[in-house]
Amino acid sequence: MRRKVSIFGSTGSIGCNTVDLLLRQGGAEAYDVKVVTGARNVKLLAEQAVSLKADVAVTADISLLDALTEALKNTGVEAAAGPAALRDAAKVKVDWAMSAIVGSAGLTPTLEMAKHADILALANKESLVCAGELIKATCASSGCILVPVDSEHCAIYQALAGGKNADLSRIILTASGGPFRDWSLDQMAAATLKQAMAHPNWDMGQRISIDSATMFNKALEVIEAHQLFDVTADQIEVVVHPQSIVHSMIEYNDYSVIAQLAAPDMRGAIGFALNWPERPPLPVEQLNFGTLSRLDFASPDEARFPALRLARRVLELGGLAGAVFNAAKEAALDRFIAGDIGFLDMAQLVETVLENLHVKASQSSSLEGLETVMSIDKEARLMGQNWMPA
Ligand code: NAD
Ligand code: MG
């Protein structure tokens, strides 16, 4: 029997790597592909749908329905568009679903995948940051198994295979430090979009690349680790590791540390989630310890990377602080990309919004439902859009 699979955000960086792996592992002969989704790049979306013989291709952008329909004419693939179509597509029962839409736009489809997929491969960390309790409760009631795709969390998941969460003393999340690892605050203040996008080790989408430069990505990952592995802020340490070979580590109560190492290629983590619990060969580079020669580690500088301090504040506040943090961060990122605010302004914007909404955020929970999450997301986003640098 072919495995039924869906890929949400198939046209992105994680999505394209997922499609590549599916094709290498037998494509439509091995997999019954139900859904592929994208946004603006309908040409690529149509190509992917045809190569995988998907049942339906969905673009999130309703104005592109005609273009997608035209691109899929006489192919046997159905075209659909808009947020409602995206949500419906996530209700299709599958054995395995990849959640790889970027940002809080991935939240609604991810929640549906948690209800209708047997295995949820989760790249969209924002859904855990905004609504971790709700996603986890949904998986618990549907029986959906969540396998993390974020390389750090996938590493922790693998390292934990022989132990229990309850015996963990610490999680050590590695961070490359991004392109500005050794830059001064003055240099960072003047950083351009192009410089912020130039990640030294990983080839990723535009938004996560900039989030790596501010270390907002690592901040999201601290919150993601708290949600996934039931650890407190005190139990999560971020360590800068410029080579991106050690993808993260866990430490047990007896101070034994277990690390997962691999070349920095997301097909490792995506392939792990796709094949779990089997481990067939993957098209990733094998590590050569003879030439590797050194692995460096250092504590991050929170004066230059305040996002890490803000992540701890989010965990201290609890409730919907993660949703506020993420929405403010998305608004800040939009404004930096638009050239409207500077690189260092992003963290100041996020801190202001978080403090303005901290009482309300800490008094609500994602278990109240997605509407509550979306409502505070909207409020924080608007506040971020109107924020003015001092
Ligand atoms: P990307 O920007 O390359 O791709 C994003 C995908 O989402 C595309 O298919 C795009 O069409 C779709 N999309 C964008 N806006 C949308 C909207 N409003 N509604 C519906 N779909 C929309 O992003 P990426 O780098 O592949 O990242 C995807 C997710 O995986 C993010 O949550 C990111 O944090 C996470 N992640 C990525 C990497 C990586 O190496 N790229 C690593 C770890 C985690
Ligand atoms: Mg990561």
Side-chain angles (χ1 to χ4, degrees):
M1 258 262 282
R2 290 181 307 160
R3 271 178 104 193
K4 294 188 181 63
V5 304
S6 289
I7 312 152
F8 286 76
S10 62
T11 56
S13 165
I14 293 286
C16 286
N17 278 317
T18 308
V19 170
D20 174 66
L21 284 175
L22 288 170
L23 289 172
R24 286 167 187 266
Q25 293 191 178
E29 282 179 18
Y31 298 95
D32 178 4
V33 180
K34 295 294 175 193
V35 179
V36 289
T37 87
R40 283 183 294 275
N41 195 345
V42 291
K43 184 171 173 282
L44 175 62
L45 179 62
E47 279 167 18
Q48 291 178 327
V50 170
S51 68
L52 288 169
K53 297 195 169 72
D55 290 358
V56 56
V58 188
T59 163
D61 188 337
I62 204 138
S63 71
L64 294 174
L65 179 59
D66 288 349
L68 183 62
T69 307
E70 181 59 29
L72 289 171
K73 211 162 85 183
N74 303 324
T75 63
V77 182
E78 189 190 326
L86 201 61
R87 183 177 187 159
D88 287 347
K91 291 180 181 167
V92 175
K93 228 144 164 62
V94 287
D95 299 303
W96 187 87
M98 165 57 82
S99 164
I101 289 173
V102 64
S104 61
L107 184 50
T108 302
T110 301
L111 188 62
E112 293 301 338
M113 284 179 242
K115 292 178 195 161
H116 303 284
D118 288 347
I119 298 175
L120 171 58
L122 189 64
N124 178 264
K125 64 191 87 184
E126 296 89 344
S127 53
L128 279 179
V129 170
C130 298
E133 272 80 19
L134 181 59
I135 301 277
K136 287 188 293 182
T138 306
C139 286
S141 78
S142 69
C144 173
I145 298 168
L146 200 162
V147 183
V149 173
D150 211 349
S151 57
E152 298 75 4
H153 306 75
C154 185
I156 295 162
Y157 190 90
Q158 294 179 54
L160 262 169
K164 301 195 223 53
N165 289 26
D167 290 330
L168 280 177
S169 73
R170 273 193 308 166
I171 276 178
I172 299 116
L173 277 185
T174 52
S176 68
F180 305 153
R181 192 183 73 231
D182 299 319
W183 284 33
S184 69
L185 261 179
D186 284 348
Q187 285 175 305
M188 286 167 80
T192 65
L193 177 61
K194 196 165 164 228
Q195 289 168 326
M197 277 168 52
H199 198 281
N201 305 348
W202 295 94
D203 177 15
M204 307 183 287
Q206 182 195 47
R207 299 184 72 88
I208 185 173
S209 296
I210 304 166
D211 281 351
S212 298
T214 48
M215 289 187 86
F216 265 117
N217 181 49
K218 209 51 56 182
L220 294 175
E221 292 181 355
V222 166
I223 305 165
E224 182 185 13
H226 159 76
Q227 291 292 356
L228 283 172
F229 305 111
D230 232 1
V231 283
T232 60
D234 292 344
Q235 289 176 294
I236 307 171
E237 181 179 345
V238 173
V239 58
V240 175
H241 166 47
Q243 291 91 357
S244 297
I245 297 289
V246 175
H247 294 307
S248 276
M249 304 179 254
I250 59 171
E251 181 190 73
Y252 285 112
N253 290 326
D254 58 6
Y255 296 153
S256 176
V257 174
I258 310 206
Q260 188 259 344
L261 284 72
D265 182 334
M266 282 309 292
R267 288 182 301 183
I270 299 166
F272 174 83
L274 176 62
N275 297 306
W276 181 89
E278 310 297 329
R279 301 201 73 141
L282 292 173
V284 297
E285 203 185 310
Q286 189 175 31
L287 290 181
N288 179 339
F289 288 90
T291 55
L292 202 56
S293 75
R294 58 185 284 179
L295 298 171
D296 297 299
F297 301 96
S299 293
D301 173 6
E302 292 196 5
R304 289 185 300 127
F305 299 104
L308 298 173
R309 172 174 55 78
L310 297 179
R312 282 200 304 277
R313 176 73 175 138
V314 167
L315 295 190
E316 178 187 299
L317 291 170
L320 287 177
V324 169
F325 178 77
N326 181 66
K329 194 274 304 172
E330 289 188 12
L333 190 53
D334 288 339
R335 290 184 65 182
F336 175 70
I337 293 171
D340 181 26
I341 60 173
F343 184 80
L344 295 177
D345 290 333
M346 286 190 273
Q348 288 195 14
L349 179 159
V350 174
E351 182 157 23
T352 308
V353 174
L354 188 60
E355 290 315 321
N356 281 344
L357 288 174
H358 82 272
V359 176
K360 186 171 182 179
S362 59
Q363 286 170 353
S364 356
S365 157
S366 63
L367 293 172
E368 290 164 34
L370 219 46
E371 297 72 33
T372 311
V373 181
M374 292 313 213
S375 150
I376 204 158
D377 171 295
K378 204 170 155 192
E379 196 175 346
R381 204 172 286 268
L382 197 66
M383 219 177 253
Q385 283 159 357
N386 294 322
W387 177 85
M388 293 299 286

